[in-house]
């Protein structure tokens, strides 16, 4: 956790553009956007993997997801968005602190948002 880049962002040790924050999560801009709008919703609690959560953790995550639905229009995602959690090697997870990608602001034609050629 000490070396976790998202824990450092949450603590303010690494700068980020924050679009939303509450006691459970922050929403920041992805540093390498894959669409016109690309945000990361990052729970403040450090979970390495999506599948690490307990039942009560899952309740907290549910609250985060509900909030994302509420604030999506204020993020410029009123026409829709893709909601992605990458877990593990096959999904090419690169940061091992659970986060949700919110991708939109345009028509999303490819089902692989990384757009490998
Ligand atoms: P994933 O591949 O699902 O683990 O996603 C990690 C995401 O974090 C990638 O889309 C990166 O572009 C993004 N990312 C890495 N470092 C930063 C940072 N300092 N600020 C914002 N986004 C970042
Ligand atoms: Zn972390």
């Amino acid at each position: 956790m000490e070396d976790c880049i998202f824990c450092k962002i949450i603590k303010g040790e690494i700068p980020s553009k924050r679009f939303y924050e509450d006691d459970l999560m922050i929403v920041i801009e992805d540093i390498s956007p894959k669409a016109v709008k690309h945000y990361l919703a990052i729970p403040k609690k450090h979970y390495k993997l999506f599948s690490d959560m307990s039942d009560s953790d899952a309740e907290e995550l549910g609250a985060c997801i509900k909030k994302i639905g509420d604030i999506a229009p204020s993020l410029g995602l009123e026409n829709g968005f893709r909601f992605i959690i990458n877990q593990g090697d096959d999904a090419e997870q690169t940061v091992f602190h659970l986060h949700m990608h919110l991708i939109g602001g345009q028509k999303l034609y490819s089902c692989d948002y990384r757009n490998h050629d």
Side-chain angles (χ1 to χ4, degrees):
M1 267 183 259
E2 281 163 19
D3 290 332
C4 172
I5 191 168
F6 286 173
C7 282
K8 287 183 178 166
I9 286 175
I10 289 161
K11 284 189 265 177
E13 293 170 9
I14 293 176
S16 66
K17 196 165 175 195
R18 288 187 193 209
F19 288 83
Y20 176 78
E21 175 166 14
D22 62 22
D23 52 336
L24 293 180
M25 71 169 171
I26 60 171
V27 177
I28 65 169
E29 197 169 51
D30 195 292
I31 204 168
S32 174
K34 301 297 183 289
V36 171
K37 304 273 183 196
H38 186 167
Y39 303 97
L40 301 173
I42 309 175
K44 288 187 172 175
K45 227 167 164 180
H46 177 98
Y47 305 105
K48 187 176 167 206
L49 296 171
F50 180 55
S51 53
D52 279 348
M53 288 185 303
S54 67
D55 287 351
S56 69
D57 293 336
E59 263 185 52
E60 280 194 13
L61 187 67
C64 292
I65 290 170
K66 165 75 175 80
K67 182 56 77 174
I68 288 166
D70 292 343
I71 65 173
S74 71
L75 299 171
L77 300 173
E78 62 279 359
N79 282 335
F81 58 98
R82 193 160 285 155
F83 182 92
I84 294 169
I85 295 175
N86 291 316
Q87 164 149 319
D89 286 347
D90 279 359
E92 299 185 311
Q93 183 177 0
T94 57
V95 178
F96 287 84
H97 176 133
L98 172 64
H99 53 282
M100 294 154 271
H101 294 260
L102 314 175
I103 298 170
Q106 64 175 82
K107 283 275 182 209
L108 300 166
Y109 294 106
S110 168
C111 65
D112 180 357
Y113 80 101
R114 289 187 199 275
N115 289 324
H116 287 296
D117 295 319

